Amino acid sequence: MNFMASKQPENSLLGPEADSQRTLYPYVTGTSVVALKYKDGILMAADMGGSYGSTLRYKSVERIKPIGKHSLLGASGEISDFQEILRYLDELILYDNMWDDGNSLGPKEVHNYLTRVMYNRRNKFNPLWNSLVLGGVKNGQKYLGTVSMIGVNFEDNHVATGFGNHLARPILRQEWHENLSYEDGVRLLEKCMRVLLYRDRSAINKLQIAKITEEGTTISQPYSLKTYWEFSAFANPAQGAVGTW
Amino acid sequence: MSKSVIEVPPKGGFSFDLCKRNEMLANKGVNPPSFRKTGTTIVGLIFQDGVILGADTRATEGPIVCDKNCEKIHYMAPNIYCCGAGTAADTEAVTDMVSSQLQLHRYHTGRESRVVTALTLLKRHLFNYQGYVSAALVLGGVDVTGPHLHTIYPHGSTDTLPFATMGSGSLAAMAVFESKYKEGLTRNEGIELVTEAICSGIFNDLGSGSNVDVCVITKGGKEYLRNHLQPNPRTYTSSKGYSFPKKTEVLLTKIIPLKEKVEIIEGGDAMEE
């Protein structure tokens, strides 16, 4: 105990914990998650990249996971904190199952639990560095909500994290409508993911789309989007004046 | 003979003498006040016959909208227009200055101005001031070599693009362009796409708002559609109109003459010490 006390900085109010225990900045991060409500449930899309600063370190990170019977969780931000959250939720679902009372935690309950966890961690200045998207269907009721690392939470018909807020939400605000069919929903999500692929430097062309309905969850196999680079103006930008840039 | 060094201030331009001192202060935690950004969505796109430029019309001073209907598409030459984002004074001054330079150049050469000329004049000026002239521009025009569209950043770098967006609403507008742009757009399709992109900026970005301005430039000439779309009309207006009395209303008139209390001393030496 003695050597621990001598290592403390004088102005620390944390006691023996010291600053090395707190999250100061993220290391391995995932980029945006985009999700929307459609006729039968929720559609969620995220790419599979895990960046280590400016390096693309991991290319098969599954950032969407099913939670219990009724929910899907998508996360952007620090991957290790996402894995920690999955462990917390695992414990939560396990305890719920142990009751064996025929009732199971729905998306609204899981969302509330996550909000409390995120907010309380931020109050202790030790946040879980994630922006989460929680979607699900229970008893015919569709639910789609989001929680940020500081505990801001709300539910909406379409949500996005990170860069998705700036690039995908304008498209969703214009083109989303009630009772989208599955094909239309996927087309709309792919449109958003394509724009993100063009304009977000941490996005990669390998994504998964997850679907949750009353019947259950499906997370697609990873696939890539078709991109177009053949605009003639990109081919020869110095056409008008040779030597310009 | 004593050596006297006369300190002559540099002719024009910024003096970077205080940079070291500012850096030292910043390290100690004393930061300079930041510049006010105007918050804008400006776009440009190349269509079949020329260039279409678009802009919103909101000018902000921090959190306040100071001008609900300002003009962000500036005239450079009869065939060249420039949208400006960033500090309003900087965009106005720099486009005015280059516009005059272009006119003098036209008199000198006897030819129509080229877009690359405006581009070079602007980027040389902005690079010279190392990013302190906070002007981010979308320059478009049609000259003898064809239609051109360029973006110019405050530090002086430029890009040549088929479609471009700048300003705080640039991501919202770019989302629309990236999903809907294709080559060989007709005039009406182009105007519709530009309007949609600016509307995306107006409704999704807090720094942009009010109306949509569009400018179409082709080989034949230009068409400046001021307030092409007004998607933010006043919500509640009185049908009877608003008429206020022309001067302050007179409620009561009461005149009380003051009694004279001053005694006038005739022929006195009042001012003698």
Side-chain angles (χ1 to χ4, degrees):
Chain A
M1 271 298 276
N2 254 343
F3 76 93
M4 272 286 270
S6 63
K7 259 204 232 171
Q8 268 178 63
E10 300 87 51
N11 55 353
S12 164
L13 295 166
L14 296 167
E17 289 163 47
D19 281 348
S20 61
Q21 302 274 22
R22 301 192 297 147
T23 312
L24 293 170
Y25 23 74
Y27 287 94
V28 182
T29 52
T31 184
S32 347
V33 178
V34 191
L36 48 78
K37 278 190 196 165
Y38 78 109
K39 186 162 55 108
D40 307 322
I42 312 287
L43 280 169
M44 198 183 293
D47 68 20
M48 300 189 73
S51 317
Y52 185 59
S54 50
T55 329
L56 214 204
R57 182 82 170 76
Y58 302 105
K59 292 199 265 195
S60 297
V61 180
E62 285 194 24
R63 296 194 292 116
I64 305 183
K65 294 283 186 190
I67 309 290
K69 282 196 285 207
H70 303 285
S71 325
L72 267 180
L73 175 66
S76 70
E78 173 62 61
I79 300 294
S80 62
D81 283 345
F82 176 47
Q83 290 169 344
E84 184 76 357
I85 290 171
L86 288 175
R87 272 193 27 206
Y88 287 158
L89 287 174
D90 212 23
E91 205 179 312
L92 183 79
I93 300 288
L94 184 71
Y95 278 143
D96 185 53
N97 286 341
M98 302 276 261
W99 284 103
D100 199 19
D101 54 5
N103 207 357
S104 50
L105 286 175
K108 211 175 284 213
E109 289 82 58
V110 179
H111 187 227
N112 187 51
Y113 173 78
L114 286 171
T115 310
R116 290 296 104 225
V117 168
M118 301 299 270
Y119 184 63
N120 277 298
R121 287 291 295 256
R122 131 317 29 167
N123 281 341
K124 293 191 243 179
F125 281 92
N126 187 15
L128 288 159
W129 209 286
N130 294 106
S131 287
L132 306 167
V133 173
L134 201 299
V137 191
K138 188 176 173 197
N139 298 335
Q141 294 271 45
K142 299 180 282 229
Y143 185 88
L144 180 61
T146 178
V147 195
S148 79
M149 83 185 218
I150 53 173
V152 176
N153 76 302
F154 55 90
E155 62 151 316
D156 205 346
N157 293 322
H158 45 79
V159 294
T161 65
F163 250 97
N165 270 314
H166 297 107
L167 289 168
R169 291 205 80 187
I171 301 177
L172 291 167
R173 277 189 183 157
Q174 208 176 24
E175 302 193 16
W176 184 89
H177 57 87
E178 285 280 356
N179 296 323
L180 277 166
S181 71
Y182 174 69
E183 288 79 26
D184 282 342
V186 173
R187 203 174 303 132
L188 188 51
L189 271 184
E190 284 189 347
K191 198 183 215 186
C192 296
M193 294 306 283
R194 188 172 291 115
V195 177
L196 284 167
L197 176 62
Y198 283 137
R199 293 285 163 174
D200 178 6
R201 87 163 192 180
S202 25
I204 61 167
N205 199 359
K206 184 177 175 191
L207 66 141
Q208 286 182 308
I209 294 202
K211 162 172 83 113
I212 183 164
T213 60
E214 192 70 57
E215 281 85 51
T217 325
T218 341
I219 303 183
S220 75
Q221 284 300 309
Y223 69 102
S224 61
L225 295 167
K226 274 213 279 282
T227 54
Y228 183 72
W229 299 94
E230 309 309 321
F231 287 132
S232 58
F234 283 136
N236 191 8
Q239 213 175 331
V242 179
T244 186
W245 48 276
Chain B
M1 193 160 89
S2 62
K3 215 201 252 181
S4 56
V5 179
I6 304 165
E7 293 273 354
V8 180
K11 289 201 182 97
F14 293 152
S15 156
F16 292 97
D17 295 337
L18 290 172
C19 281
K20 249 200 153 87
R21 164 253 194 198
N22 289 342
E23 202 184 311
M24 184 271 292
L25 282 173
N27 283 336
K28 300 222 166 122
V30 180
N31 288 317
S34 60
F35 296 104
R36 287 266 158 85
K37 285 210 79 177
T38 48
T40 302
T41 309
I42 48 174
V43 306
L45 74 72
I46 298 204
F47 72 111
Q48 200 162 287
D49 311 315
V51 180
I52 307 180
L53 299 173
D56 75 306
T57 60
R58 174 183 283 187
T60 51
E61 253 176 27
I64 304 170
V65 177
C66 58
D67 190 348
K68 290 185 279 189
N69 206 356
C70 68
E71 283 188 27
K72 299 189 191 182
I73 306 186
H74 309 288
Y75 167 89
M76 297 287 263
N79 58 327
I80 307 174
Y81 273 75
C82 185
C83 306
T87 307
D90 286 338
T91 58
E92 285 278 354
V94 95
T95 48
D96 260 0
M97 183 193 81
V98 172
S99 172
S100 317
Q101 285 179 340
L102 283 175
Q103 180 144 56
L104 287 170
H105 194 250
R106 275 202 295 284
Y107 289 142
H108 196 74
T109 58
R111 292 182 170 84
E112 192 186 55
S113 296
R114 300 193 187 190
V115 181
V116 283
T117 316
L119 181 72
T120 312
L121 289 168
L122 284 165
K123 80 156 87 158
R124 288 239 178 97
H125 183 83
L126 292 175
F127 180 76
N128 203 22
Y129 287 88
Q130 288 294 296
Y132 284 95
V133 175
S134 179
L137 310 165
V138 171
L139 175 72
V142 181
D143 55 31
V144 283
T145 47
H148 297 277
L149 178 67
H150 303 279
T151 51
I152 310 165
Y153 289 83
H155 283 267
S157 65
T158 59
D159 291 306
T160 312
L161 298 162
F163 55 90
T165 67
M166 296 283 257
S168 55
S170 63
L171 279 88
M174 187 50 90
V176 172
F177 272 166
E178 281 287 11
S179 44
K180 298 196 174 150
Y181 180 79
K182 51 188 211 296
E183 293 198 285
L185 288 165
T186 65
R187 183 181 177 278
N188 287 334
E189 283 175 344
I191 293 181
E192 208 188 297
L193 186 56
V194 162
T195 316
E196 221 182 301
I198 299 287
C199 280
S200 177
I202 287 175
F203 293 117
N204 291 301
D205 173 46
L206 296 175
S208 313
S210 301
N211 317 121
V212 182
D213 281 353
V214 177
C215 184
V216 187
I217 311 172
T218 55
K219 204 156 66 132
K222 61 119 182 358
E223 216 184 309
Y224 187 68
L225 304 165
R226 168 79 172 144
N227 287 359
H228 173 68
L229 191 69
Q230 294 181 313
N232 289 304
R234 249 204 142 102
T235 334
Y236 305 106
T237 44
S238 158
S239 50
K240 288 180 278 191
Y242 299 94
S243 63
F244 299 102
K246 291 286 188 296
K247 52 186 181 186
T248 319
E249 282 177 56
V250 178
L251 295 173
L252 173 69
T253 313
K254 188 173 175 186
I255 304 172
I256 307 168
L258 295 169
K259 276 200 262 230
E260 282 185 8
K261 282 196 163 176
V262 179
E263 281 176 43
I264 301 163
I265 308 162
E266 295 287 320
D269 300 319
M271 292 309 276
E272 268 192 20
E273 72 231 23

